Amino acid sequence: MATKALLSEPRVLAHAKQRLVPEPTAADTYAVVDTQFASEEWLAGEPIEPAVREQLAPFNHVQVGSGYPDLLGVRRLESALLAVERFGDDPPLVALEAKGYTGDRTVDVERGVVQAYDRLNEANAAYVAAPKPAISNSAQTLARELNVGVLGVDAGGTVDALEVPRVVGNRTVEAASAIRFQATAQGVAEKSFSLNHPKNYLAYPLALYHPDPTDEVLAKHVVSATDGARQGAAFLGLVDADPDGTTLTPLGSEVVRFARHRYGTVADALAAFEAWQGSRTRFSELAPEWGQLTRRVLWSYPATKLIVSELQTMHDDGIPEPSLVELVTWLHVHHPTFTVELFVRGSDAARSRVLNEDGELRESALRDGNVYHAPTVFQLKAMLYHAGILTDRGAEPHRLDPEADVWQLVEPLDHRG
């Protein structure tokens, strides 16, 4: 039988991902596959089909334990995949190692078990996936002893859990935290910010508190894109939006209290928002008190803290006006996983252009605006501008010149003792 007729590692991984993460865009769910699988060829003369790469995307190079798992994701797994059904209030962080037939038609399943075990330093559950006929009793015994799950994949793509792991606790490191963050309501997913003015999100708690229908109130006084406003308000932690309805968070409630203290009623506050429609004046200048509130709300968003702290460090190191290319290059050295998730589109095409098989940046690709994540370089940057944090607005990726796009703090600190 020709090697290519057997289950290769990318195909094993694609089937295993489908079993572990069948709905990648579901709530509390996110997964990335290692960048080595973004290449066009796996073994010599054995291409990775575009459909397989598309199923494996998005790609990132995330260190967990002493290595880089083939898949790292967050999802609430069913009991058929875990020895327990529940792990506190948060879904577990899951690492997976895939093994497929190599050129000599062998599969090193036991090596995959040991690699998966290493990931338990930081993941809550770890698995090895391999062609079912290649999984020996000794490999299963080793996995059972090391608390590693075993997924057997058949030629048709069916995946059976031959061993299920127990969920364990672990220490949290930044790389794993970035993936956990992506699975939350505030994750930097493709659908995060669709509107570029913070007033549209700050007004949502006011419209929600108003006795009239929320969408009608918001459309009348603030913005007609009510779904986008609700989504952005959720990402900023102002509301909780779930299938049972949308409710104010403590931060959203504080916005309502501020509005009532400032205007007397939320109706009067919304009337002020209506008067600001269409204005291009920086929000921190147009409405200074709301600008300060915007600054506090945006500061609670983890991406803001990362960007501002690193821009300050760049300023201290003599780079006061970094371009987008310089910023992303700098960030990737210090926070590689978070940088890719925050700035680079999640598509196979974008990640494959920006990252090589070892997860290193191809700086030349960063000069093309189309590889960037619009909610970060356009909407989030515009909000940081309106809050008085950055000197320049954002730009849509197709209009973006990354080498000329400046990310400069309005008020950098000069450390003079």
Side-chain angles (χ1 to χ4, degrees):
M1 182 183 298
T3 302
K4 66 175 59 179
L6 301 173
L7 278 170
S8 66
E9 192 164 313
R11 283 189 171 275
V12 168
L13 182 56
H15 293 312
K17 181 184 179 184
Q18 178 62 29
R19 179 69 178 87
L20 287 175
V21 194
E23 299 180 43
T25 60
D28 297 325
T29 301
Y30 187 74
V32 293
V33 165
D34 190 66
T35 50
Q36 63 179 315
F37 295 95
S39 62
E40 295 185 358
E41 191 173 83
W42 183 246
L43 300 176
E46 183 181 329
I48 301 178
E49 296 89 340
V52 172
R53 288 206 311 272
E54 183 178 350
Q55 186 173 355
L56 295 176
F59 301 101
N60 205 340
H61 195 52
V62 186
Q63 183 169 4
V64 176
S66 64
Y68 299 84
D70 294 335
L71 179 147
L72 187 67
V74 175
R75 178 179 171 251
R76 298 185 186 278
L77 299 176
E78 56 270 27
S79 58
L81 293 169
L82 285 177
V84 295
E85 294 186 14
R86 184 174 175 78
F87 178 65
D89 294 325
D90 300 317
L93 181 70
V94 177
L96 181 137
E97 297 293 336
K99 295 298 175 185
Y101 287 103
T102 60
D104 59 2
R105 302 187 191 180
T106 61
V107 185
D108 196 347
V109 180
E110 293 190 2
R111 180 169 180 265
V113 171
V114 173
Q115 289 174 320
Y117 173 69
D118 174 73
R119 313 306 178 228
L120 287 175
N121 286 326
E122 294 160 20
N124 301 123
Y127 297 83
V128 61
K132 199 170 184 179
I135 301 173
S136 64
N137 290 333
S138 62
Q140 283 191 233
T141 300
L142 177 63
R144 196 179 310 122
E145 291 174 349
L146 296 180
N147 189 31
V148 169
V150 178
L151 303 178
V153 183
D154 69 21
T158 300
V159 179
D160 294 320
L162 306 181
E163 299 289 340
V164 293
R166 302 181 307 280
V167 174
V168 298
N170 52 62
R171 60 191 180 90
T172 300
V173 297
E174 182 179 288
S177 296
I179 303 303
R180 287 188 185 279
F181 175 66
Q182 282 285 48
T184 69
Q186 287 190 304
V188 194
E190 286 302 323
K191 295 182 178 179
S192 51
F193 301 117
S194 59
L195 306 172
N196 58 15
H197 201 299
K199 69 177 177 59
N200 298 318
Y201 305 128
L202 287 173
Y204 196 87
L206 306 183
L208 183 63
Y209 184 81
H210 195 283
D212 292 342
T214 301
D215 286 0
E216 292 181 12
V217 171
L218 198 69
K220 177 181 178 181
H221 297 286
V222 187
V223 64
S224 59
T226 55
D227 287 344
R230 179 176 62 253
Q231 184 172 269
F235 270 77
L236 289 173
L238 299 172
V239 299
D240 284 327
D242 56 51
D244 296 327
T246 303
T247 57
L248 289 172
T249 63
L251 183 59
S253 297
E254 193 59 28
V255 171
V256 174
R257 293 188 186 97
F258 171 83
R260 294 183 65 187
H261 175 75
R262 177 72 175 77
Y263 298 93
T265 68
V266 294
D268 288 338
L270 287 166
F273 275 73
E274 186 172 359
W276 298 329
Q277 287 183 358
S279 173
R280 290 186 56 81
T281 303
R282 189 196 291 259
F283 197 38
S284 59
E285 299 171 0
L286 179 67
E289 290 182 331
W290 280 103
Q292 287 299 313
L293 182 60
T294 299
R295 195 178 186 119
R296 291 198 293 272
V297 169
L298 286 175
W299 190 254
S300 71
Y301 187 61
T304 302
K305 298 174 184 178
L306 175 69
I307 291 170
V308 172
S309 63
E310 291 300 334
L311 285 176
Q312 178 64 54
T313 302
M314 294 180 78
H315 175 85
D316 296 341
D317 282 13
I319 313 173
E321 302 178 29
S323 69
L324 177 57
V325 173
E326 291 173 320
L327 174 62
V328 172
T329 303
W330 172 285
L331 286 174
H332 192 262
V333 172
H334 304 283
H335 312 277
T337 301
F338 208 104
T339 300
V340 172
E341 297 299 328
L342 181 61
F343 282 93
V344 183
R345 289 173 53 206
S347 68
D348 172 22
R351 296 273 172 105
S352 297
R353 287 186 59 194
V354 171
L355 300 173
N356 67 16
E357 295 179 14
D358 296 321
E360 298 171 345
L361 282 180
R362 295 188 177 102
E363 188 171 330
S364 60
L366 295 178
R367 301 185 188 117
D368 181 0
N370 291 305
V371 304
Y372 289 95
H373 184 60
T376 298
V377 300
F378 182 31
Q379 284 90 359
L380 177 58
K381 189 185 180 190
M383 290 192 290
L384 294 173
Y385 165 81
H386 277 292
I389 295 173
L390 295 183
T391 60
D392 290 60
R393 299 174 185 268
E396 295 176 272
H398 70 279
R399 296 179 178 174
L400 182 65
D401 179 356
E403 294 182 290
D405 188 57
V406 174
W407 289 65
Q408 180 184 10
L409 293 175
V410 171
E411 299 171 333
L413 299 179
D414 290 316
H415 300 289
R416 297 179 179 176

